[in-house]
Amino acid sequence: MITLNVPGMSCGHCEAAIKTEVGQVAGVSAVNVDLATKIVTVDGDQLDLDAIVAAVAEAGFEVVS
């Protein structure tokens, strides 16, 4: 599992955009978005962190470490 801090999320549209983009990354089996804590968790096999961060960026958001 990978956990990401994505502070720019604020609504259902944000959640849907991130789930769509990150869900398309190879190896991803589940994407969970918690708008209250601004945390995205990604489950799957052989996850590529760089590809997931790029997918979050494609959705219009930035991962903060």
Side-chain angles (χ1 to χ4, degrees):
M1 178 179 6
I2 292 176
T3 302
L4 305 170
N5 182 15
V6 185
M9 303 182 302
S10 62
C11 64
H13 174 74
C14 302
E15 178 179 356
I18 287 176
K19 283 184 173 183
T20 298
E21 292 296 332
V22 174
Q24 295 175 15
V25 174
V28 172
S29 61
V31 181
N32 295 301
V33 176
D34 186 330
L35 293 174
T37 61
K38 312 296 188 194
I39 297 293
V40 175
T41 54
V42 183
D43 288 315
D45 295 323
Q46 299 180 349
L47 297 173
D48 180 346
L49 178 60
D50 291 336
I52 292 168
V53 170
V56 171
E58 185 68 27
F61 301 94
E62 181 181 359
V63 174
V64 177
S65 53

